[in-house]
Amino acid sequence: MKNFLGFLCLCFISDLSFAQDSTSQIAIIPEPVKIIENPGHFLLPQNIIIEAPSQPEMKQVINFLNDRFSTATGFSIVVKNSDPSATVQLILNKKEDNVIGKEGYNLLVTPTNIIIKANEPAGLFYGVQTLVQLFPKEIESKVVVQNMKWEVPCVDITDYPRFGWRGLMFDVARHFFTKEDVEKYIDQMVRYKYNLLHLHLTDDEGWRIEIKSLPRLTEVGAWNVKKVGYFGTFAVPKPDEPRNYGGFYTQDDIKEIVQYAKERFVNILPEIDVPGHSLAAIAAYPDLSCSGGIKNIGVASGEEIKDWDTHTALYDDNLCPANENVYTFLDKVITEVAQLFPFEYIHMGGDETFKTFWEKSDAVKALMKKQGLKNMEEVQSYFEKRVEKIVESKGKRFMGWDEILEGGLAPNAVVMSWQGMEGGIKAAKMKHDVVMSPTTFAYLDYMQGDSAIEPRIYATLRLKKTYEFEPLPEGVDPKFIKGGQANLWTEQVYNMRHAEYMTWPRAFAISEDVWSQKENKNWNNFVTRVEKHFARYDVAQIKYAPSIYDPIIDASESPDKKLMVELSTEIDGLDIYYTFDNSFPDNFYPKYSAPLVVPD
Ligand code: ACM
């Protein structure tokens, strides 16, 4: 494909009727349940009064509004407990409104004031997010913007989420992201009404959480050799190369992150990924593997450690299910994790456990005989059931990736379905709780445009596809589907700007998949709103991928055996101009209308 892209040059010109056909100023993401647009506007006065209840949970609700108003407008702000003449009234309902639930809100903008009502502070927080999106994009500015008319359209909005679990996963193991990075990620996700951050804390490339009773996990396990390239093919580190790339969260850091999240109505789901993906732990404590770390390469640094085609482990990155010390180790880890994270669940991984070294292990063979386990899937199931017991003994619910279904699901396990929706459907039919986060719709590490343009990853997931994510499959009892989440794996993500690029705009789409009513979703309308949020992100200085404007290129063979290329656009209403003459086309070049045969 790259060969012909060298001389096929493409250009998109937006059909103006597409980008500007929305006469409404309103561009809220995720789409609220109900918006009534009324005539007129509310103009923000120079002296703003915010009326808000005094509960401690209101701190960040008020701070958020205060921060946006004071930073961008420079106006004066006073917060009061009660003032009927307030500019913005944040009101907790005395009598519960059964329609909006715990996280919903009513937002009324009239020419004289703004009123947000909710049953709980979380609802007011989400109402405030919507309100900020009603202001001109300059409200996102990091400095005072002069000469602005800070106007919002008069609206009456009723809104509440479709699902209770609205998550993003951030892999802080493959590359370490600082506490400040994680807090920044939380700041961004809550604007789109996400309420769960899943932290993937351990993997072959790093162990990121301090466990006081097992200090080597971070002394050794948090550090590898900095390498670049295409992950899985990085050069093998030389023995004398310094292992100084990485980092970890101290327990104080974790407490701070948890508190930061809580104040913003976000739960943190910790993941300790076992029994596979455990090379960092094994580098610290080699006896945890069945092979005792004989071929120990230390914490992985992006070199090839697995053969993905044959599911063969080249190095032993599994904890040994036949070693009692492993369960003692896990008990110590889970005890500390359970104390640090107030959330009701602990995610124990379970994915991609290639059984190569288990198959060779005499201890595993003896375990199989003793426990009557017929195959390696049953060995993993034995392990998962024991881990479930440990997790439950700490008062938490056990969760794992859908591989934990293989060989028999642990009795109370909650399943996170990533290999498509099937695992989740199967688990829900077995009356287990499920969170859907399938690769097909929700993998934020995949490329979002053509591989000739995007930083290369092995798969592609376009915005349009993420918008098609439906967490509740037909024929499944909705009570078992807790919600959905998108996952940002960071094998190829070295810094926050790129984490933002990979997350947005696809997490706009996922937010709508998990918050908005199914019947309110509309791709074309969503895209007009995405464009407006791009403009907001420009002001907010948050990076996003503009890949929806890139061509979709399909190469095939023409009937007379020539290379043929078919071009299409992800958004309706865009024109494509092209050339084969090595120049950059604009709208004075030929307009694409039918598949092109590439010149010899
Ligand atoms: C996964 O993507 N291995 C859960």
Side-chain angles (χ1 to χ4, degrees):
M1 176 124 19
K2 272 193 183 145
N3 293 343
F4 74 77
L5 270 175
F7 50 84
L8 168 62
C9 298
L10 301 163
C11 156
F12 278 98
I13 302 294
S14 174
D15 173 346
L16 292 182
S17 72
F18 160 74
Q20 295 180 25
D21 69 353
S22 170
T23 49
S24 171
Q25 249 184 285
I26 299 173
I28 299 161
I29 297 177
E31 178 73 34
V33 174
K34 191 167 148 208
I35 307 180
I36 299 169
E37 284 190 62
N38 292 322
H41 285 84
F42 173 78
L43 181 65
L44 199 65
Q46 302 250 355
N47 299 309
I48 301 167
I49 303 171
I50 300 174
E51 180 196 315
S54 54
Q55 272 99 323
E57 297 93 321
M58 288 299 299
K59 186 173 136 207
Q60 288 311 326
V61 184
I62 298 163
N63 277 1
F64 188 88
L65 202 52
N66 213 334
D67 177 54
R68 276 305 91 225
F69 283 162
S70 61
T71 311
T73 71
F75 292 173
S76 84
I77 299 151
V78 186
V79 182
K80 294 186 177 171
N81 281 342
S82 171
D83 186 341
S85 70
T87 324
V88 183
Q89 286 181 285
L90 303 175
I91 298 172
L92 284 173
N93 293 325
K94 290 205 172 65
K95 184 171 170 302
E96 182 162 332
D97 176 341
N98 293 327
V99 174
I100 59 175
K102 283 185 184 330
E103 295 181 297
Y105 62 91
N106 296 108
L107 166 60
L108 183 68
V109 180
T110 68
T112 47
N113 70 349
I114 295 168
I115 302 172
I116 307 178
K117 289 185 181 169
N119 295 326
E120 306 269 346
L124 292 179
F125 187 65
Y126 296 132
V128 162
Q129 302 309 325
T130 297
L131 174 62
V132 170
Q133 292 189 15
L134 288 172
F135 275 92
K137 64 180 189 306
E138 288 77 11
I139 198 78
E140 303 294 347
S141 173
K142 293 186 188 307
V143 292
V144 172
V145 184
Q146 305 290 353
N147 304 322
M148 276 294 301
K149 229 167 134 191
W150 296 104
E151 248 181 14
V152 266
C154 288
V155 283
D156 185 352
I157 295 177
T158 304
D159 198 14
Y160 48 87
R162 184 167 170 226
F163 293 101
W165 186 298
R166 303 183 303 278
L168 290 179
M169 189 212 75
F170 196 5
D171 170 8
V172 292
R174 266 46 179 277
H175 287 283
F176 179 60
F177 289 82
T178 63
K179 178 183 69 185
E180 290 74 22
D181 290 337
V182 173
E183 291 176 353
K184 191 171 187 182
Y185 206 70
I186 292 170
D187 286 340
Q188 293 176 7
M189 62 188 271
V190 295
R191 286 161 166 258
Y192 294 89
K193 305 186 174 84
Y194 285 100
N195 64 358
L196 182 122
L197 178 65
H198 168 171
L199 286 179
H200 181 75
L201 289 166
T202 72
D203 213 301
D204 296 316
E205 289 74 23
W207 184 284
R208 305 294 177 208
I209 174 169
E210 178 189 26
I211 301 295
K212 288 190 194 284
S213 57
L214 296 159
R216 283 178 61 80
L217 282 174
T218 42
E219 282 165 13
V220 175
W223 308 100
N224 64 1
V225 180
K226 174 139 195 214
K227 295 278 172 184
V228 292
Y230 186 62
F231 185 85
T233 69
F234 293 4
V236 176
K238 296 181 196 70
D240 59 350
E241 274 188 88
R243 291 191 164 264
N244 57 9
Y245 182 66
F248 64 92
Y249 310 111
T250 64
Q251 296 207 347
D252 284 343
D253 289 339
I254 294 284
K255 285 178 197 155
E256 211 180 290
I257 291 171
V258 165
Q259 182 61 22
Y260 192 90
K262 181 170 173 246
E263 288 174 358
R264 289 155 184 83
F265 308 96
V266 169
N267 283 313
I268 306 262
L269 170 71
E271 182 189 353
I272 305 295
D273 196 356
V274 292
H277 286 278
S278 291
L279 209 45
I282 291 167
Y285 297 101
D287 290 346
L288 296 173
S289 69
C290 291
S291 55
I294 294 166
K295 257 180 99 180
N296 197 345
I297 54 159
V299 181
S301 301
E303 67 271 53
E304 188 180 19
I305 56 169
K306 292 171 192 182
D307 181 335
W308 293 94
D309 294 333
T310 59
H311 281 202
T312 307
L314 307 178
Y315 299 96
D316 190 358
D317 72 338
N318 287 356
L319 303 185
C320 189
N323 179 354
E324 281 309 307
N325 293 339
V326 163
Y327 302 102
T328 311
F329 164 83
L330 287 173
D331 194 290
K332 287 183 181 168
V333 171
I334 295 167
T335 299
E336 295 190 34
V337 169
Q339 280 163 3
L340 287 167
F341 294 91
F343 194 42
E344 134 186 52
Y345 302 81
I346 298 180
H347 194 310
M348 294 302 301
D351 59 320
E352 298 172 326
T353 306
F354 298 170
K355 318 290 196 300
T356 321
F357 288 85
W358 287 2
E359 277 158 4
K360 294 181 191 162
S361 160
D362 289 340
V364 172
K365 284 179 197 148
L367 176 78
M368 291 174 79
K369 205 162 159 207
K370 186 168 167 208
Q371 298 292 336
L373 307 172
K374 291 192 287 299
N375 52 42
M376 286 298 145
E377 286 66 42
E378 290 192 7
V379 173
Q380 181 167 350
S381 168
Y382 165 86
F383 172 86
E384 303 295 352
K385 285 172 184 154
R386 288 200 58 179
V387 177
E388 178 182 75
K389 283 210 177 92
I390 301 172
V391 170
E392 290 182 345
S393 75
K394 315 298 168 202
K396 300 287 182 180
R397 295 188 71 189
F398 167 81
M399 180 174 225
W401 298 110
D402 55 70
E403 283 95 332
I404 64 171
L405 281 151
E406 298 164 10
L409 192 54
N412 307 312
V414 182
V415 171
M416 189 168 272
S417 190
W418 74 279
Q419 302 177 100
M421 306 283 284
E422 296 71 27
I425 294 172
K426 191 170 165 197
K429 292 199 164 155
M430 292 161 69
K431 302 194 185 320
H432 284 251
D433 284 339
V434 166
V435 173
M436 292 291 190
S437 77
T439 53
T440 27
F441 300 102
Y443 262 42
L444 301 180
D445 56 323
Y446 290 0
M447 293 178 292
Q448 36 208 325
D450 196 276
S451 58
I453 301 166
E454 298 290 330
R456 186 162 70 104
I457 301 285
Y458 58 92
T460 303
L461 175 68
R462 289 180 177 276
L463 179 65
K464 192 165 190 184
K465 190 78 179 169
T466 58
Y467 197 67
E468 289 163 13
F469 178 33
E470 167 48 41
L472 178 58
E474 268 177 40
V476 169
D477 187 339
K479 82 166 183 265
F480 295 114
I481 306 297
K482 303 192 74 63
Q485 72 174 45
N487 299 333
L488 179 61
W489 300 99
T490 61
E491 286 96 327
Q492 293 288 134
V493 181
Y494 287 77
N495 62 57
M496 261 321 266
R497 291 299 287 177
H498 196 52
E500 290 172 1
Y501 177 92
M502 298 306 282
T503 303
W504 314 106
R506 288 180 295 189
F508 294 158
I510 302 284
S511 79
E512 199 143 311
D513 299 332
V514 292
W515 176 282
S516 303
Q517 301 299 302
K518 197 174 160 185
E519 59 279 7
N520 281 356
K521 285 175 62 187
N522 175 307
W523 166 250
N524 287 332
N525 178 281
F526 172 68
V527 170
T528 64
R529 286 179 286 126
V530 167
E531 293 199 303
K532 290 185 177 145
H533 283 248
F534 281 171
R536 302 183 83 84
Y537 266 30
D538 287 337
V539 180
Q541 302 177 349
I542 300 171
K543 198 171 184 190
Y544 57 87
S547 317
I548 42 170
Y549 300 114
D550 291 336
I552 299 172
I553 305 163
D554 276 320
S556 59
E557 199 175 58
S558 71
D560 54 349
K561 306 234 171 292
K562 301 253 184 186
L563 179 60
M564 197 166 72
V565 45
E566 196 168 338
L567 305 174
S568 57
T569 64
E570 194 168 353
I571 323 176
D572 295 342
L574 294 185
D575 295 331
I576 307 172
Y577 297 86
Y578 69 94
T579 180
F580 288 106
D581 70 0
N582 263 343
S583 61
F584 197 86
D586 61 15
N587 54 330
F588 291 83
Y589 279 63
K591 187 166 164 179
Y592 175 84
S593 60
L596 302 166
V597 171
V598 178
D600 285 343

